């Protein structure tokens, strides 16, 4: 199969891009690992009750889902992209395209595309506290997925800890679902409040709607009588065999469940695998792909939209998806540049409004420095059970970066292929070497981006 545009990911950016690209006449294929569109933010929203205990924002993805389904774009759910060859000649005399290797239902296949849009969104930042590998400890986002997809809530005493809007949103959603947490432990450093107030007045005014939403979340916790303890330090999970209590400097509370959250960072597994140019984002303390205003990357056939190119939020992600679709249509000759720019102008104006809150959030919820410097005994690579102390020892033995540590310790060689531990391993190495976080390289992922079976590969070879 050959298509004009292949989109990887059916979250806000991917859905918006697919619907517009199909409208503009592009033969469009959208590929997603999940069984239904929506991404993490709108997961299951099309089936949710209205009104939903998860809030009005949860249902905001319905128009995007409806537009995708009513468009001419081909949609492939439950399908994983495990490799992309960015330079593939459909016609030996024509321009290079790209070849995507997919697996679905245990069978692998390939699809050629003249352009690729990566819209894989964000992942939660790892929170390596002592005891975070105990049963009963998970991320707030994972708990939210269980609530969205299966109406599951924690059975027993639940504590949320960390910082960021999602922490308060999940607390409020659990309360609305009849399982209010017994406490929210906020780790926001005190100096962050001063840094946040230094944001420009114009940005704060443009973000006034989002600021009001944030205040609404805080008031919602108060109405639900959920205790919030601020300035928490020394967070740790305690228990023998499973979580029994959550402790911090100066306090402890019994709990069967601990939900951790320290914000989100771009999911760059595919962009790293493609060896795209990346840059260190000092504001967000993470790596992100280098893209231009249309989402174009350092490879001519590949663009990136949404949170995968830098954290912007769901509404803004959909707008970046539309910009990328307009650019793809222009590059493939469906519209001219003047038409592209004319249609992009109102989208850019909306994008500026939607993204105005991000500098404030990045300053307010900047992770504390000790998050990147866990104690020696804390496991950093959960797949291979490699501790922070083992990584520091490898650095002392001469390993300057994650790829060398991988050779020493197998860090990043487990099922997650470094997606979870990668940011943390790099940070531990930077601290051990005494250099800025951005000076340490990233993992260099190779195909397959996610584990696949030998049987799936064998099926591909026989085609």
């Amino acid at each position: 199969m050959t298509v004009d545009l292949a989109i990887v990911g059916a979250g806000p950016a991917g859905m918006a891009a697919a619907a517009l690209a199909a409208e503009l006449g592009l033969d469009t294929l959208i590929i997603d690992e999940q069984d239904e569109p929506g991404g993490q933010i709108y997961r299951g929203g099309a089936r949710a009750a209205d009104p939903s205990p998860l809030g009005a924002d949860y249902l905001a993805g319905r128009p995007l889902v409806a537009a995708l389904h009513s468009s001419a774009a081909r949609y492939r759910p439950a399908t994983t992209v495990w490799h992309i060859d960015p330079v593939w000649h459909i016609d030996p005399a024509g321009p290079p395209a790209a070849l995507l290797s997919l697996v679905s239902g245990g069978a692998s296949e390939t699809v050629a595309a003249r352009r690729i849009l990566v819209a894989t969104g964000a992942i939660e930042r790892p929170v390596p506290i002592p005891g975070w590998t105990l049963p009963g400890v998970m991320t707030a986002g994972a708990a939210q997925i269980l609530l969205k997809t299966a109406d599951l809530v924690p059975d027993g005493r639940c504590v949320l800890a960390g910082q960021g809007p999602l922490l308060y949103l999940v607390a409020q959603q659990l309360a609305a679902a009849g399982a209010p947490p017994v406490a929210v432990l906020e780790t926001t450093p005190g100096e962050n409040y001063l840094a946040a107030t230094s944001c420009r007045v114009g940005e704060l005014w443009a973000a006034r709607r989002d600021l009001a939403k944030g205040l609404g979340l805080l008031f919602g916790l108060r109405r639900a009588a959920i205790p919030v303890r601020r300035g928490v330090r020394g967070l740790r999970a305690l228990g023998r065999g499973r979580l029994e209590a959550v402790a911090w400097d100066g306090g402890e509370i019994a709990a069967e469940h601990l939900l951790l959250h320290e914000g989100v960072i771009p999911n760059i597994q595919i962009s790293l695998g493609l060896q795209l140019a990346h840059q260190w984002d000092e504001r967000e303390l993470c790596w992100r792909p280098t893209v231009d205003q249309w989402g174009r990357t350092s490879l001519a056939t590949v663009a990136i939209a949404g949170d995968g190119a830098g954290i912007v939020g769901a509404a803004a992600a959909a707008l970046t998806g539309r910009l990328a679709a307009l650019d793809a249509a222009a590059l493939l000759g469906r519209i001219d540049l003047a038409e592209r720019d004319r249609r992009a102008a109102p989208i850019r104006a909306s994008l500026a409004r939607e993204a105005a809150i991000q500098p404030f959030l990045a300053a307010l919820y900047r992770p504390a420095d000790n998050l990147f410097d866990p104690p020696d005994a804390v496991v950093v690579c959960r797949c291979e059970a490699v501790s922070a102390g083992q990584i520091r020892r490898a650095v002392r033995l001469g390993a300057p970066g994650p790829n060398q540590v991988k050779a020493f310790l197998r860090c990043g060689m487990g099922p997650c292929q470094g997606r979870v531990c990668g940011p943390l391993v790099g940070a531990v190495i930077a601290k051990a070497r005494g250099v800025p976080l951005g000076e340490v390289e990233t993992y260099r992922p190779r195909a397959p981006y996610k584990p696949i079976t030998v049987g799936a590969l064998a099926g591909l070879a026989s085609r």
Side-chain angles (χ1 to χ4, degrees), residues 76-80 102-109 453 455-456 463:
R76 288 285 304 272
T79 302
T80 298
L102 318 177
V103 64
S104 178
S108 193
E109 62 180 294
T453 65
R463 288 173 182 264

Side-chain angles (χ1 to χ4, degrees), residues 207-453:
R208 59 192 181 278
R209 182 190 61 186
D210 294 306
L211 291 171
K213 283 184 180 180
L215 290 173
L217 288 175
L218 295 177
F219 285 126
L221 296 187
R222 181 174 295 180
R223 286 194 300 271
I226 299 172
V228 178
R229 179 178 289 273
R230 306 188 191 282
V232 168
R233 294 288 180 272
L235 188 67
R236 50 203 183 273
L238 308 177
R240 292 186 177 181
R242 65 160 296 112
L243 181 72
E244 297 172 359
V246 180
W248 63 95
D249 294 348
E252 184 176 317
I253 185 171
E256 287 78 45
H257 302 278
L258 171 61
L259 309 182
L260 298 169
H261 183 73
E262 283 280 352
V264 295
I265 56 178
N267 181 355
I268 58 174
Q269 191 76 356
I270 289 180
S271 60
L272 287 177
L274 289 170
Q275 299 182 42
L276 303 180
H278 287 71
Q279 61 193 73
W280 177 255
D281 188 333
E282 185 60 29
R283 189 183 77 178
E284 299 281 354
L285 293 178
C286 63
W287 288 95
R288 60 180 176 85
T290 301
V291 299
D292 70 3
Q293 61 178 339
W294 300 102
R296 296 187 197 180
T297 70
S298 54
L299 279 174
T301 53
V302 179
I304 300 178
D307 284 341
I311 304 304
V312 292
L319 297 170
T320 65
R322 294 190 178 103
L323 291 174
L326 287 172
D327 191 49
L331 290 170
L332 295 175
R334 298 301 192 276
I335 59 175
D336 59 28
L337 294 180
E339 174 70 3
R340 179 199 68 175
D341 294 346
R342 183 188 67 79
R343 297 186 62 157
I347 298 176
R348 292 200 186 282
S350 297
L351 179 58
R353 289 191 298 271
E354 293 293 345
I357 191 66
Q358 294 305 320
F360 175 81
L361 294 178
L364 180 59
Y365 298 123
R366 186 181 180 87
D369 191 61
N370 60 10
L371 183 71
F372 304 107
D373 200 19
D376 279 350
V378 171
V379 169
V380 170
C381 174
R382 297 171 63 124
C383 295
E384 298 294 330
V386 179
S387 69
Q390 289 174 288
I391 295 171
R392 293 182 181 112
R393 182 173 181 272
V395 171
R396 290 194 297 270
L397 291 173
N403 296 291
Q404 293 75 27
V405 168
K406 179 191 290 189
F408 275 72
L409 301 170
R410 293 185 54 84
C411 258
M413 296 183 71
C416 92
Q417 291 291 286
R419 282 185 303 277
V420 175
C421 71
L424 186 52
V425 170
V428 172
I429 293 171
K431 292 290 184 181
R433 290 177 51 195
V435 301
L437 301 183
E439 286 193 16
V440 175
E441 65 176 359
T442 63
Y443 281 133
R444 293 190 289 270
R446 294 174 174 83
Y449 303 142
K450 292 191 174 179
I452 59 173
T453 65

